[in-house]
Amino acid sequence: MEKRSSVTVHAIRTVGDPVLRTVADPVTTFDASLAALAEDMHETMNDVKGVGLAGPQIGISKRIFTYNIDGHVGTVCNPVLEILDEEAVEDDRTIEGCLSVPGIQMPLARPKKVRLTGVDITGEELEIIADGLLARCFQHETDHLNGKLFIDRLTGEERRRAQQTLRHNTYQSNVDHVQDQRAATIGSAFSNKTGNSFLRS
């Protein structure tokens, strides 16, 4: 396939945008426009040194996400997740955040190992067994496709603190400031800061 002469870096939608709370539609057409979308998503993700990006985060309500974490790079359409290590949920409370919810990072327990099935941008079936940060990334991005944000999975004190932050009268101005900064660099998705066990998307 001929490489496009240019790609588009998209703005990231933030909390309050209805597209983030909408269950995304399945991808049904695997053509040049889907390939172009995937290329744009990778470019957008890389623009902020991210490790994952879901369609709804750029206003595209389609079941597609891109990822680039620990040397694993790809695009998944219509993902289905199977938890392979349910007992590990409480063992992994990595700090998680989301560029669609700027300024909030909280420890969040997730299963450590999953099986992801779906298709690539050509419609070919794929299956990936993932653990660690890759498994967390797959769960986070699939949540986006189901209209769910990581803050919805918080419990106890972390949930209370997140809700307080969201309700604070300065939160929206902070979001606006972040959006202005992103616009200045024409970009903005899941970043990975190793050593501190931190993930953001």
Side-chain angles (χ1 to χ4, degrees), residues 45-122:
M45 182 177 68
N46 293 335
D47 185 62
V48 290
K49 300 176 177 62
V51 299
L53 182 68
Q57 288 185 280
I58 59 167
I60 306 295
S61 191
K62 292 291 184 184
R63 299 188 74 78
I64 179 173
F65 71 77
T66 55
Y67 63 94
N68 182 351
I69 185 167
D70 293 340
H72 301 279
V73 182
T75 305
V76 182
C77 301
N78 305 332
V80 176
L81 279 178
E82 178 188 353
I83 304 304
L84 299 180
D85 195 357
E86 189 70 49
E87 291 184 1
V89 172
E90 290 302 326
D91 296 336
D92 184 1
R93 284 174 54 82
T94 294
I95 300 296
E96 195 164 314
C98 181
L99 285 181
S100 290
V101 192
I104 297 179
Q105 296 89 35
M106 295 286 174
L108 176 62
R110 286 194 190 265
K112 287 185 176 179
K113 190 172 184 179
V114 301
R115 175 186 287 111
L116 179 141
T117 56
V119 294
D120 65 17
I121 59 171
T122 70

Side-chain angles (χ1 to χ4, degrees), residues 100-151:
S100 290
V101 192
I104 297 179
Q105 296 89 35
M106 295 286 174
L108 176 62
R110 286 194 190 265
K112 287 185 176 179
K113 190 172 184 179
V114 301
R115 175 186 287 111
L116 179 141
T117 56
V119 294
D120 65 17
I121 59 171
T122 70
E124 288 294 314
E125 293 184 0
L126 55 79
E127 178 179 340
I128 304 170
I129 305 296
D131 58 16
L133 294 179
L134 185 61
R136 180 174 289 273
C137 176
F138 286 170
Q139 292 170 78
H140 183 111
E141 301 306 333
T142 301
D143 275 352
H144 274 301
L145 305 183
N146 293 326
K148 185 183 290 288
L149 299 173
F150 90 100
I151 54 175

Side-chain angles (χ1 to χ4, degrees), residues 176-188:
D176 293 342
H177 177 67
V178 169
Q179 292 291 60
D180 288 344
Q181 288 182 317
R182 291 174 183 172
T185 61
I186 322 174
S188 209

